[in-house]
Amino acid sequence: MPKQSAAAMAHPNIAFIKYWGNRDRELRIPANSSLSMNLEGLETKTLVRFDSELAQDEFILNEEPASHEAAGRVTAFLDVVRGMANLPERASVASKNNFPSGAGVASSASAFAALALAASRAAGLVLDTNALSRLARRGSGSASRSVPDGFVEWHAGENDADSYAESVAPADHWALRDCIVVVSEAHKAIGSSEGHDLADSSPFQEARIAGAQERLENCRRAIVERDFATLADVVELDSLMMHSVMMSSMPALFYWEPATLGVLKAVRAWRADGLEACATVDAGPNVHVICPEAQASEIVEQLTRLPGVLRVLESSVGGGAKWLEL
Ligand code: PMV
């Protein structure tokens, strides 16, 4: 018997080694393994209720009915859960982010991680962390990484059963900060789901994939050994490689604004002067500046003074997704 209602919370994450391109679009089996850090303080909370009286799924996002597109994506995800639980009932889903959608943080990772936990429990399924990560992956690839704790590796795998994320170190392993530099609050023109489909049209994607495993292993080792210098080099290289693919795909994807490049160059100059900081950019113009806790206040102050910077949000390393008591 289904439990009917359940609620959950998840954090977004920032990828140190990026996921870009799918081997299987439908199942979201990625072209390469990736590695990220969960973002404390930013969260999505989601409540799911299956109800035999509902004629169709309902999705309320930040206290307003969601767009047609967002609702369709939630229904497609709930269909996966219904299939697993052999459940015909429609559901009402209410989801809330504590960060504004213009904050420069993609919400699909925290959204589908929280939805995976809440919907599966409400449907009466009992899933372990691996199975929850696999389920979250079906909504958004990066959501698989928001299920486990702290620093998380998503094993690309080859099929639905072996493509899931695992923690490589808990949140309290290393006191890093992500200083999220907002240079634009505009909604991105091409979302990541469409972007993944273009990856193979770039002549550089093959080279990016060929070296991805080695970069991931260097990154994982740097995290385990708390080696910031190695982490900085590999994080920046991997982000620049993904953007090289984006900019050279057909059609080309330019996510950067002039201020994006300004921040990237400033961070490199500060690092050359001995500050421990490195930068990474997702499918948007905003820059995530990663640094040890001890340097964060100085870095935030300097970032705020750069041209084109609207604001800087600061986040530490977050835990995994969890269920909430109703
Ligand atoms: O999970 P998606 O489909 O939103 O893709 C995420 C893509 C990047 O944020 C650009 C990279 C990553 O690994 O998070």
Side-chain angles (χ1 to χ4, degrees):
M1 261 303 283
K3 194 175 182 298
Q4 303 295 10
S5 297
M9 181 286 305
H11 301 295
N13 64 73
I14 176 67
F16 291 167
I17 301 296
K18 308 292 190 188
Y19 149 52
W20 196 246
N22 285 314
R23 213 184 296 179
D24 182 323
R25 182 178 197 274
E26 166 75 19
L27 290 173
R28 297 183 199 269
I29 309 296
N32 63 285
S33 297
S34 55
L35 205 162
S36 59
M37 159 183 143
N38 285 337
L39 300 178
E40 183 63 37
L42 309 178
E43 54 189 44
T44 300
K45 286 184 177 164
T46 299
L47 172 67
V48 176
R49 181 171 53 87
F50 285 98
D51 183 342
S52 56
E53 312 236 300
L54 286 173
Q56 56 187 34
D57 295 324
E58 289 172 1
F59 180 33
I60 304 293
L61 178 59
N62 296 325
E63 283 160 354
E64 284 178 26
S67 69
H68 188 69
E69 196 195 336
R73 214 165 148 186
V74 164
T75 286
F77 184 83
L78 291 172
D79 285 343
V80 175
V81 176
R82 280 187 279 258
M84 289 167 74
N86 202 8
L87 188 74
E89 286 158 25
R90 305 287 110 186
S92 78
V93 176
S95 193
K96 216 172 155 181
N97 298 324
N98 75 345
F99 49 98
S101 54
V105 183
S107 58
S108 69
S110 50
F112 283 103
L115 184 60
L117 264 71
S120 60
R121 178 175 270 199
L125 294 166
V126 179
L127 303 179
D128 63 14
T129 307
N130 284 1
L132 287 165
S133 171
R134 286 171 45 213
L135 175 59
R137 191 198 76 231
R138 301 291 296 274
S140 160
S142 57
S144 67
R145 297 189 310 242
S146 279
V147 173
D149 175 32
F151 298 90
V152 177
E153 177 174 344
W154 172 17
H155 309 288
E158 289 180 349
N159 53 50
D160 177 50
D162 62 8
S163 187
Y164 59 88
E166 266 184 316
S167 181
V168 298
D172 63 3
H173 168 73
W174 194 6
L176 290 183
R177 288 279 190 271
D178 179 7
C179 312
I180 306 167
V181 189
V182 181
V183 302
S184 167
E185 299 187 332
H187 213 73
K188 60 188 170 201
I190 306 272
S192 44
S193 293
E194 279 172 79
H196 291 298
D197 293 344
L198 296 176
D200 282 336
S201 70
S202 163
F204 298 152
Q205 173 73 344
E206 209 179 303
R208 192 188 76 83
I209 298 301
Q213 191 58 29
E214 191 181 338
R215 290 193 299 282
L216 186 141
E217 277 158 28
N218 288 340
C219 183
R220 191 201 305 116
R221 201 175 322 115
I223 290 169
V224 170
E225 295 173 2
R226 302 186 190 90
D227 170 358
F228 194 85
T230 303
L231 182 82
D233 287 344
V234 75
V235 164
E236 288 202 354
L237 172 63
D238 193 82
S239 172
L240 293 172
M241 288 186 88
M242 180 181 74
H243 284 273
S244 306
V245 167
M246 291 163 160
M247 290 179 195
S248 58
S249 63
M250 287 170 276
L253 295 175
F254 279 85
Y255 285 112
W256 296 6
E257 294 295 334
T260 310
L261 183 59
V263 175
L264 292 177
K265 290 182 83 168
V267 169
R268 289 173 86 88
W270 298 338
R271 193 158 74 252
D273 281 349
L275 256 189
E276 289 186 309
C278 66
T280 182
V281 183
D282 276 344
N286 302 315
V287 186
H288 294 251
V289 178
I290 311 298
C291 64
E293 183 184 22
Q295 317 233 351
S297 55
E298 184 182 347
I299 286 168
V300 170
E301 204 187 305
Q302 295 203 37
L303 286 167
T304 311
R305 281 197 241 116
L306 292 176
V309 171
L310 303 177
R311 57 199 165 118
V312 181
L313 306 172
E314 212 185 307
S315 173
S316 53
V317 191
K322 54 182 193 220
W323 285 289
L324 302 171
E325 291 311 318
L326 286 176

